[in-house]
Amino acid sequence: RMSAHGSREPPHLPALPLIGSLLSLQSELQPHVLFKELQVKYGQTYSLMMGSHSVIVVNHHVHAKEVLLKKGKTFAGRPRTVTTDILTKDGKDIAFGDYSATWKFHRKIVHAALCMFGEGSASIEKTICAEAQSLCSVLSEAADVGLALDLSPELTRAVTNVICSLCFNSSYCRGDSEFENMLQYSQGIVDTVAKDSLVDIFPWLQIFPNADLRLLKHCVSIRDKLLQKKFDEHKVNYSDHVQRDLIDALLRAKRSAENNNTSEISAESVGLSDDHILMTVGDIFGAGVETTTTVLKWAITYLIHHPEVQRRIQDELDRTVGDSRSPKLTDRGSLPYLEATIRELLRIRPVAPLLIPHVALCDTSLGDFTVRKGTRVIINLWALHHDEKEWKNPERFDPGRFLNSEGTGLTIPSPSYLPFGAGLRVCLGHDLPSLEGKFGVVLQPAKYKVNATIRPDWARHKCQAE
Ligand code: HEM
Ligand code: PLO
């Protein structure tokens, strides 16, 4: 037994020079399933070589939380790969960009802009309700004539319009050519980016003709033209007094950096170049559309398989919302079964089953294992969410596991549940306030908003008192 902390190497898959562990990774199984299976032979945390890169795979929640939370800053890096470099102009975005002052700054601006949409006249809720209404009328028209419908483009358009209003203050009608164009390039990007294609393992393969890479470059160039067009339109109409959307928020930050600074510190040097702004908008647009649409598609698929869950959700809606109005965001607290169903969907089919790879920014350790600077870390969320020791029958779809024994309140029954990740790289769509604190004469927590709800007990007392 070794005594020093972090002095052992993790168990290692066989590796050959140049190709690394590729032979051991040849399998019919999808990567997240294969990584879960490999635990049987190598244990919960093991390492392998992807070409010349050392990679650690984490399949258990204790090590996952050490990476994301306890040593969050140490593991906050991102790898550079051929495909993400093409997508993000060499990492000038948030999701695939490495840990840096620019990355932090962009997260902060986006976070503030997203908070703004939670409230007031620009509230995103209005757009969501309008899109839901329009989706319902498409469905009922189809139902009237007994027509079967592929829901995918309908869901994508509804979600795209919500995200469009958030990013660009615009929306699309059915059949709009710019929208159809967007659907196509987005699919091309999703099909080719970051799927551990061979060029990402062996960057020298780039010099050979490669169909995937050509498709990716083509799709990215169409996307970039569209983003540029929206950006140019915003520059023309920009005013310091109104903030219509995310682009305005980024433009305002750029203007204020330009005005506050003397010539030696430019907007470029704080990371507010046009390219950085375009890539951040591209991220939020891509993340907003792809993730939300995917969850909705899984929701429909699981509800078709489980009509009893569908009925229970409808029943809950009928009882709490009724049939005279549409559901509102404030109803969310009184719809525990619906909430439990969403949690179960995000457990059983996590949107990002391997998150996005993290990178160790310095020499460190993970449990008892040493980890060298530059090591890539893959958190296998799929393994966490399907861990038999944590979840009874993990492949069974059962929203009830997120309800308390009376079925009236919500719980999270296992610590092995991280649908949005955690820590510094936590999903930007779903953030908890930071615990880092801001140094000054007193150490202050960051500013954030809370929603207060009156405890049922307290409400009863108040009634009695009156
Ligand atoms: C990152 C989940 C929706 C923006 C992530 C990560 C996960 C995740 C697991 C990776 C964390 C990591 O690498 O450690 C989800 C799920 C969603 C969702 C399950 C929907 C149900 C959204 C939405 C937005 C968004 C709507 C934007 C409005 C981002 C961004 C990142 C991210 C920008 C990169 C953060 C960084 O690297 O600093 N998300 N997400 N996501 N998400 Fe989401
Ligand atoms: C989706 C296709 C877009 O054209 C570009 C894009 C940007 C951000 C990516 C997103 C894509 C896919 C989903 C990602 C998101 C960042 C976070 C999100 C990876 C590639 C998650 C949770 O997986």
Side-chain angles (χ1 to χ4, degrees):
R1 225 184 112 99
M2 304 275 185
S3 53
H5 184 67
S7 52
R8 287 194 295 144
E9 298 288 333
H12 202 295
L13 264 66
L16 291 168
L18 218 60
I19 67 165
S21 310
L22 210 59
L23 293 179
S24 317
L25 297 173
Q26 293 298 312
S27 162
E28 299 277 281
L29 300 174
Q30 307 202 63
H32 53 282
V33 182
L34 175 65
F35 285 152
K36 179 175 187 291
E37 297 302 314
L38 286 170
Q39 283 184 93
V40 178
K41 200 159 164 201
Y42 298 97
Q44 289 163 342
T45 299
Y46 52 82
S47 66
L48 53 92
M49 296 296 286
M50 295 266 199
S52 60
H53 300 289
S54 171
V55 180
I56 291 188
V57 181
V58 171
N59 291 286
H60 190 266
H61 67 87
V62 172
H63 278 179
K65 286 182 184 169
E66 187 173 342
V67 170
L68 300 174
L69 292 166
K70 198 168 144 207
K71 297 187 176 142
K73 206 163 169 178
T74 307
F75 286 106
R78 294 284 196 217
R80 282 188 67 170
T81 68
V82 174
T83 52
T84 58
D85 271 2
I86 294 172
L87 180 66
T88 66
K89 298 193 196 287
D90 303 330
K92 292 195 180 64
D93 74 327
I94 296 176
F96 303 106
D98 206 354
Y99 183 83
S100 69
T102 302
W103 166 80
K104 267 197 211 165
F105 194 35
H106 278 250
R107 265 195 81 113
K108 202 167 151 183
I109 302 170
V110 173
H111 190 248
L114 293 181
C115 285
M116 199 191 74
F117 282 104
E119 61 200 45
S121 58
S123 151
I124 194 176
E125 180 172 13
K126 284 196 193 126
T127 323
I128 295 176
C129 289
E131 288 304 323
Q133 204 64 57
S134 136
L135 189 61
C136 288
S137 34
V138 171
L139 284 177
S140 73
E141 275 167 33
D144 283 346
V145 290
L147 189 75
L149 209 59
D150 174 5
L151 284 186
S152 177
E154 302 303 333
L155 292 170
T156 310
R157 192 174 57 89
V159 173
T160 304
N161 276 343
V162 173
I163 307 292
C164 262
S165 83
L166 200 109
C167 291
F168 313 127
N169 187 32
S170 66
S171 69
Y172 295 108
C173 297
R174 255 186 131 190
D176 186 302
S177 65
E178 191 174 283
F179 171 69
E180 300 294 330
N181 195 1
M182 197 182 259
L183 279 186
Q184 273 196 351
Y185 84 65
S186 236
Q187 195 56 47
I189 294 176
V190 170
D191 290 345
T192 48
V193 89
K195 64 169 189 191
D196 266 323
S197 54
L198 286 175
V199 280
D200 285 339
I201 304 176
F202 310 116
W204 44 265
L205 280 178
Q206 277 176 91
I207 58 169
F208 298 111
N210 174 324
D212 270 1
L213 218 53
R214 211 166 35 237
L215 175 64
L216 177 63
K217 283 181 183 162
H218 173 69
C219 291
V220 168
S221 83
I222 299 176
R223 180 197 71 157
D224 289 351
K225 278 198 200 88
L226 203 125
L227 288 175
Q228 186 72 52
K229 185 179 137 207
K230 300 278 184 200
F231 190 47
D232 292 343
E233 287 166 5
H234 277 69
K235 275 183 174 168
V236 174
N237 303 322
Y238 177 80
S239 152
D240 276 331
H241 309 293
V242 277
Q243 190 170 305
R244 296 159 295 177
D245 48 37
L246 180 66
I247 297 193
D248 277 356
L250 288 156
L251 271 174
R252 173 187 275 187
K254 186 181 168 84
R255 299 279 156 118
S256 107
E258 281 166 352
N259 292 340
N260 282 343
N261 288 312
T262 49
S263 53
E264 64 214 80
I265 310 167
S266 61
E268 317 275 311
S269 67
V270 293
L272 285 166
S273 69
D274 284 7
D275 275 356
H276 279 102
I277 293 183
L278 288 175
M279 293 302 106
T280 286
V281 177
D283 253 20
I284 300 307
F285 188 74
V289 172
E290 290 308 323
T291 54
T292 316
T293 312
T294 305
V295 181
L296 288 174
K297 286 196 241 173
W298 280 120
I300 305 281
T301 311
Y302 271 95
L303 291 183
I304 290 171
H305 276 266
H306 295 270
E308 75 287 358
V309 174
Q310 219 179 124
R311 265 191 301 275
R312 214 171 140 184
I313 294 175
Q314 285 161 353
D315 186 48
E316 191 180 64
L317 281 166
D318 291 346
R319 269 185 291 111
T320 44
V321 179
D323 58 7
S324 60
R325 64 173 180 89
S326 306
K328 293 193 301 276
L329 205 56
T330 46
D331 293 317
R332 199 165 166 182
S334 13
L335 299 165
Y337 192 74
L338 175 62
E339 189 78 30
T341 309
I342 297 171
R343 288 187 187 180
E344 177 67 344
L345 280 164
L346 293 175
R347 180 193 69 81
I348 201 162
R349 289 296 177 266
V351 174
L354 301 176
L355 310 189
I356 299 172
H358 288 243
V359 167
L361 295 169
C362 53
D363 284 347
T364 179
S365 64
L366 178 54
D368 283 342
F369 302 132
T370 41
V371 175
R372 254 174 277 287
K373 179 180 173 178
T375 305
R376 299 179 179 188
V377 182
I378 293 179
I379 306 288
N380 190 358
L381 194 60
W382 178 269
L384 264 69
H385 285 187
H386 289 82
D387 185 339
E388 291 83 3
K389 293 213 178 67
E390 296 289 334
W391 307 94
K392 213 167 121 192
N393 296 330
E395 251 313 307
R396 204 183 68 212
F397 180 68
D398 174 18
R401 42 174 121 235
F402 287 96
L403 291 175
N404 63 13
S405 48
E406 296 87 52
T408 51
L410 287 152
T411 60
I412 293 181
S414 160
S416 195
Y417 183 67
L418 294 172
F420 300 105
L424 269 73
R425 288 280 183 174
V426 72
C427 175
L428 240 184
H430 308 257
D431 219 353
L432 280 178
S434 154
L435 295 176
E436 195 178 25
K438 189 174 178 319
F439 179 76
V441 67
V442 292
L443 182 70
Q444 291 187 323
K447 199 170 139 172
Y448 61 90
K449 290 184 176 147
V450 292
N451 283 318
T453 46
I454 295 177
R455 277 193 276 146
D457 275 1
W458 200 61
R460 253 199 318 277
H461 285 311
K462 238 175 56 170
C463 284
Q464 280 161 3
E466 277 161 10

